[in-house]
Amino acid sequence: MNKLDQAAQVCIIIRRIGGRPHDYLWLNSTNPVLMWEEMSKAYEFQSRDIWILNCGDIKPHEYNIELFLDMAWDMDDFEKSTAVKTHMSTWAAREFGKASASEITDVLFENNRLAYIRRPEFMAWSQVEPVTKEGETELTQYHYGDEVSERINSYQNIIETTEHLYDGIPEHRKDAFYQLVYYPVIGASKLNQKWLYSFKNKFTARQGRQSANAFGALSKDAFNRIEKETSYYNTKLQNGKWNHIMTMAPRFLPVFAQPATSTVQTDDKAKLGLALEGYQMEVNDDIINSYADVLPVFNRYTNSSYFIDVFVEGNGTLNWKAKPKADWIKLSEDKGVLNTASGQVEKRIWVRIDWDKVPKGENKKEAPLGHDFQLIPPSFKVNSAIDFISEGKTTTIGVSVYNPKLEVLKNYNGFVEDKGYVSINAENFTRKNAGKEAKWELFEGMGYTNKVITALPRTATPNVNIEEIKANSPVLEYDFYTFNFGEAQVNLQAVPTHAPPHAGIGVRCAVAIDDADPVIVDFQTQGRSEAWKENVLKNATVKAAKQIVNKAGMHTLKIWMVDPGVMIDQVLIDLGGWKASYAFPKETVKK
């Protein structure tokens, strides 16, 4: 949130002994592990004479500057990515005491992880170049547990931890903690929540929920908190020593403004509304075949859980209760009171399954329950329902569970299909095999999962010959089980980067399912292309390869190195069930 224009750059030049006389690297990064990755790459390629750090926003980045200087002084101390977390913990202990160093480090790493997934200045879904108004978020609010709410909660957790830490910091160190930890974390968190609550406001307003008004107010509260903390930084911190160095609206970009919000007003009498995970449409008796009254299929092997939002439409007070029709259906709450005057207008109920009580599903074909987008075969299903009762009206929500109790999966540990896809975090391989020149290694502190896997050394020889790839390249293997078969799309998410400036080196890997020949996947983008811009906004590059899953059952996905240094983050094997979402769904590990 520094108000210095990007044109005002300060360069720190570090000269090292050795290296070629004209080697240099220009770095612009705020994530310390990404900084480490770039500098270790430069060091490995013998760029050891001049390093230039772009630190236009000097005041908020004292730690990053110190990390850069320490790496430049002795890169041998930073051989592994884990050295960054050790360095930060040592720094935190020096500045704020050993007692809180570990917790401070964890907060800063989580703040960096969330910012990696979407940087605060991009949360309006607008682009800085050119300046545009806010756009539609790609974060889903009705699939995969509600990405918007999960991000709100993740930021709320680090807000509360940071506030608690601040209370325990010795008085003579409080100002330093405020400037180096508190303000950056609270500022980024509230900028996120400002937009996230505005997204919820618009979504719930379209469904006629009174909660839209509350979400709008929370968005404004987040904006006001940024205003309050920025004013404190400039006028109160160290008696105004740093006045004017911070602004809450750099270059007056739209992302820093207070979002417009919608208001729901009605004179109608209060009545119960329901909205289910998996549906943009609320439960609606007026729309025939809307199918918004059946939860997605619960899968025994992923231990699925889904939410139902209970909300008030209209004004007044209403009582509600929920009655499962089977003892294996478990609810986080089964009754409550909603009241518009008190602001208690909505409650999220989580539906889970007690699998020890569910009878085994029968192997018989049946008509799909609701619209069968789940891509779980219409067999081995056990069906029941939940009755929601309010003001004399009963609304029935269907519950269907997939419970074949397959003997082959009894002692299986690995990934399984869920609703037409298999989701894998790349670091959780089943097996890995080294190649002739390279091997797979983990980098910690980057990527959507905070870990990525890459083939090192970066100086290994690239290989595009299919037979030589199979014979000489390091390979990762992931065992998975599917309930469906047919054409699948293997989506690979990697850290976006350009190829090193060496002939023949690209940003490629190769994939195959089972014994198929490897298919080369290329992540390279050109210049400032639209693909490059989208990758920067999302901090991810996703490419896909078509494969065939020839039968239901056990399979193995293989990923080979083609070029060293490609950082694989996540994998999604889509058999046709993946719905629109910003990030890949959570891992589908057999529970």
Side-chain angles (χ1 to χ4, degrees), residues 480-499:
F480 66 98
Y481 189 97
T482 66
F483 308 107
N484 290 284
F485 60 92
E487 187 177 75
Q489 182 160 284
V490 179
N491 299 277
L492 298 178
Q493 178 168 303
V495 176
T497 185
H498 289 302

Side-chain angles (χ1 to χ4, degrees), residues 83 143 275 349 401 521 563:
H143 290 307
I349 310 302
V401 302
V521 177
D563 296 299

Side-chain angles (χ1 to χ4, degrees), residues 292-311:
D293 57 358
V294 181
L295 286 166
V297 172
F298 292 80
N299 185 345
R300 176 183 185 85
Y301 298 106
T302 58
N303 196 19
S304 313
S305 61
Y306 303 110
F307 66 79
I308 299 175
D309 285 342
V310 178
F311 60 92

Side-chain angles (χ1 to χ4, degrees), residues 115-147:
Y116 183 95
I117 294 171
R118 191 79 180 186
R119 287 163 59 181
E121 62 266 36
F122 298 148
M123 281 304 297
W125 259 256
S126 56
Q127 292 188 15
V128 175
E129 299 175 318
V131 174
T132 57
K133 292 292 186 182
E134 65 180 278
E136 289 293 324
T137 178
E138 296 171 48
L139 295 164
T140 179
Q141 297 193 54
Y142 50 93
H143 290 307
Y144 312 127
D146 180 357
E147 289 180 306

Side-chain angles (χ1 to χ4, degrees), residues 175 178 228-243:
D175 283 355
Y178 184 94
K228 173 187 172 184
E229 299 297 347
T230 306
S231 175
Y232 179 87
Y233 195 115
N234 285 325
T235 63
K236 304 294 184 184
L237 185 67
Q238 285 287 291
N239 298 315
K241 178 180 180 179
W242 304 112
N243 198 13

Side-chain angles (χ1 to χ4, degrees), residues 463-466 469 508-511 517-522 544-545 562:
N463 201 340
V464 295
N465 180 279
I466 297 302
I469 288 173
R508 298 163 295 188
C509 65
V511 300
D517 282 336
V519 175
I520 292 178
V521 177
D522 192 350
V562 173

Side-chain angles (χ1 to χ4, degrees), residues 215-289:
F215 289 131
L218 288 168
S219 176
K220 292 175 183 177
D221 288 346
F223 176 86
N224 293 338
R225 178 71 180 274
I226 298 170
E227 191 172 49
K228 173 187 172 184
E229 299 297 347
T230 306
S231 175
Y232 179 87
Y233 195 115
N234 285 325
T235 63
K236 304 294 184 184
L237 185 67
Q238 285 287 291
N239 298 315
K241 178 180 180 179
W242 304 112
N243 198 13
H244 304 303
I245 202 167
M246 284 294 162
T247 177
M248 61 182 292
R251 289 171 289 150
F252 302 102
L253 294 174
V255 67
F256 300 112
Q258 182 173 303
T261 54
S262 302
T263 302
V264 173
Q265 293 180 326
T266 179
D267 294 327
D268 294 342
K269 182 181 177 182
K271 65 176 182 178
L272 184 68
L274 300 171
L276 313 185
E277 179 168 350
Y279 303 89
Q280 187 179 22
M281 176 70 70
E282 69 277 12
V283 175
N284 194 317
D285 297 335
D286 298 328
I287 298 178
I288 298 173
N289 292 335

